[in-house]
């Protein structure tokens, strides 16, 4: 339950990091709401939360001196959440009008709603070995469907470097400054994605098909959020122009912690899964899905364990170079 504990997390800026008035125009943040979550069973909460970060310089999520900071736009307004993951408990402090919502949602963010019952890692020794090393793996959820959808659209058909760079620029330019003693300036996603002008998308380096998809979806945001439950999300999302199976899966993983979602049409995933499970490259989604079939219901869990296994196909050539079309 939210309460006040003077020793839970730092409630103000230490003297050497206090923002200068002309460079950090945040309102007085005051004391946070605070809570403490003690999982009933061991879970790797830090890994679940870190999976939500979009690149090393994500202005909406950063880690500093053992504290994970998140700036989000909740149904009740913007919130800044500071999370310290300890051995047997997770401590949270939150500022802003959405603070209560963010603290109530903290267990789900940590993976509390992810149920691994029925998952059998012994179908393959690579997955089994990774599961023995990471038995506490959980898939967290944000319960913020639209922002998860937008972040996935940013990552369509481009390198991570391009997608994360554009995400950083748009949030910094168009997002809302996070309240609270964040270690550096942080920004919650924009309130109205449709209000971002075309030239701003262009300056950020996001391709027109992606920006048009985001703007079109923003016009239907309320109906999307009303209609899309974990059970119906794939149908609702793939009905949107510009949103296919890959974007739907990535959105469901981030927003709902979908443990069975598979991001088909991914540039690398089929190769990675195929090499880990067969020792050779698999070049198509059908082949990958056939390999993952023994874990139906938990295919995303199996994919994440494959990613943690350390089994990686040797690189055959240079990395894909990012393209910058802004000069056109």
């Amino acid at each position: 339950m939210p309460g006040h504990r003077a020793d839970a997390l730092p409630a103000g800026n230490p003297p050497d990091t206090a923002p200068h008035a002309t460079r950090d125009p945040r309102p007085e943040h005051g004391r946070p709401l605070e809570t403490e979550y003690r999982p009933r069973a061991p879970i790797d909460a830090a890994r679940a939360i870190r999976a939500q970060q979009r690149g090393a310089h994500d202005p909406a999520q950063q880690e500093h001196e053992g504290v994970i900071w998140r700036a989000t736009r909740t149904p009740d307004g913007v919130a800044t959440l500071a999370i310290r993951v300890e051995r047997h408990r997770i401590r949270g402090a939150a500022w802003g009008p959405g603070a209560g919502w963010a603290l109530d949602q903290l267990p789900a963010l940590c993976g509390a709603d992810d149920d691994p019952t029925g998952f059998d890692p012994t179908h393959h020794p690579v997955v089994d070995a990774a599961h023995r090393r990471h038995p506490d793996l959980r898939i967290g959820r944000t319960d913020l469907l639209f922002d998860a959808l937008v972040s996935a659209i940013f990552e369509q058909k481009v390198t991570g470097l391009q997608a994360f760079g554009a995400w950083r620029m748009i949030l910094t330019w168009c997002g809302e400054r996070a309240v609270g003693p964040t270690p550096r300036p942080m920004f919650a996603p924009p309130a109205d994605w449709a209000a971002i002008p075309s030239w701003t998308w262009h300056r950020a380096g996001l391709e027109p098909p992606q920006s048009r998809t985001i703007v079109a979806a923003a016009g239907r945001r309320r109906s999307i959020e009303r209609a899309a439950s974990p059970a119906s999300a794939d149908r609702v999302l793939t009905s949107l122009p510009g949103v296919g199976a890959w974007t739907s899966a990535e959105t469901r993983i981030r927003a709902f912690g979908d443990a069975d979602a598979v991001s088909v049409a991914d540039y690398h995933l089929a190769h990675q899964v195929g090499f880990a499970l067969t020792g050779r490259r698999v070049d198509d989604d059908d082949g990958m899905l056939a390999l993952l079939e023994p874990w139906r219901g938990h295919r995303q869990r199996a994919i994440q364990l494959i990613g943690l296994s350390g089994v990686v196909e040797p690189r055959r050539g240079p990395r894909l170079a990012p393209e910058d079309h802004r000069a056109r």
Side-chain angles (χ1 to χ4, degrees):
M1 294 294 293
H4 289 287
R5 285 173 52 94
D7 62 343
L9 284 171
N13 295 285
D16 59 340
T17 60
H20 191 278
T22 60
R23 299 184 62 189
D24 192 355
R26 288 175 293 184
E28 176 61 33
H29 51 72
R31 289 190 59 80
L33 292 178
E34 298 174 26
T35 195
E36 197 174 88
Y37 164 54
R38 294 179 179 267
R40 296 180 179 179
I43 61 174
D44 191 346
R47 188 180 298 277
I49 299 168
R50 289 174 184 138
Q52 301 291 345
Q53 184 169 330
R54 314 322 310 159
H57 304 290
D58 184 354
Q61 181 165 316
Q62 288 289 311
E63 190 165 353
H64 180 73
E65 295 181 352
V67 177
I68 301 173
W69 293 84
R70 281 179 53 80
T72 59
R73 184 174 295 281
T74 79
D76 296 334
V78 169
T80 300
L81 180 62
I83 310 162
R84 189 184 295 277
V85 178
E86 299 178 351
R87 185 171 182 179
H88 298 296
R89 64 177 180 175
I90 295 96
R91 300 154 69 191
W95 296 259
W101 189 96
L103 292 180
D104 288 343
Q105 198 272 337
L106 177 60
L109 181 67
C110 295
D113 294 343
D114 180 27
D115 184 3
T117 302
F119 175 66
D120 184 359
T122 62
H123 289 300
H124 195 281
V126 168
V127 176
D128 191 32
H131 183 260
R132 281 187 270 109
R133 291 195 303 272
H134 302 279
D136 305 335
L137 176 73
R138 295 293 185 274
I139 303 172
R141 54 186 290 169
T142 67
D143 293 304
L144 298 170
L145 176 68
F146 193 79
D147 288 340
L149 170 62
V150 171
S151 71
I153 294 171
F154 268 78
E155 297 168 29
Q156 291 177 340
K157 301 179 182 179
V158 295
T159 66
L161 182 65
Q162 289 172 281
F164 297 153
W167 174 260
R168 181 178 68 251
M169 292 177 190
I170 291 295
L171 262 64
T172 302
W173 295 339
C174 306
E176 185 169 336
R177 185 63 180 271
V179 70
T182 56
R184 58 184 62 87
M186 295 182 68
F187 299 86
D192 185 2
W193 289 95
I196 299 173
S198 60
W199 56 85
T200 300
W201 295 112
H202 182 72
R203 284 179 59 211
L206 197 71
E207 294 297 298
Q210 281 72 49
S211 62
R212 285 195 295 265
T213 298
I214 292 170
V215 171
R220 301 171 59 183
R221 177 171 185 166
R222 290 186 178 179
S223 61
I224 293 168
E225 292 177 328
R226 282 197 306 267
S229 65
S232 65
D234 186 50
R235 174 181 56 80
V236 172
L237 293 171
T238 54
S239 72
L240 301 172
V243 176
W246 183 92
T247 306
S248 171
E250 288 292 313
T251 302
R252 295 181 344 255
I253 294 164
R254 301 170 197 189
F256 296 137
D258 189 336
D260 193 48
V262 181
S263 302
V264 296
D266 187 273
Y267 187 78
H268 299 289
L269 187 59
H271 302 163
Q272 181 184 15
V273 170
F275 187 83
L277 299 184
T278 69
R280 59 180 176 80
R281 173 182 285 234
V282 171
D283 291 321
D284 61 86
D285 288 327
D286 289 342
M288 173 183 68
L289 292 172
L291 292 172
L292 292 172
E293 185 60 29
W295 295 288
R296 177 169 288 278
H298 296 275
R299 291 176 295 180
Q300 179 58 213
R301 194 182 319 281
I303 289 169
Q304 292 198 15
L305 287 168
I306 288 170
L308 293 169
S309 70
V311 180
V312 180
E313 181 184 18
R315 192 187 302 176
R316 300 186 177 188
R319 291 182 183 274
L320 181 66
E323 297 183 45
D324 191 338
H325 302 284
R326 283 174 286 187
R328 293 183 178 181

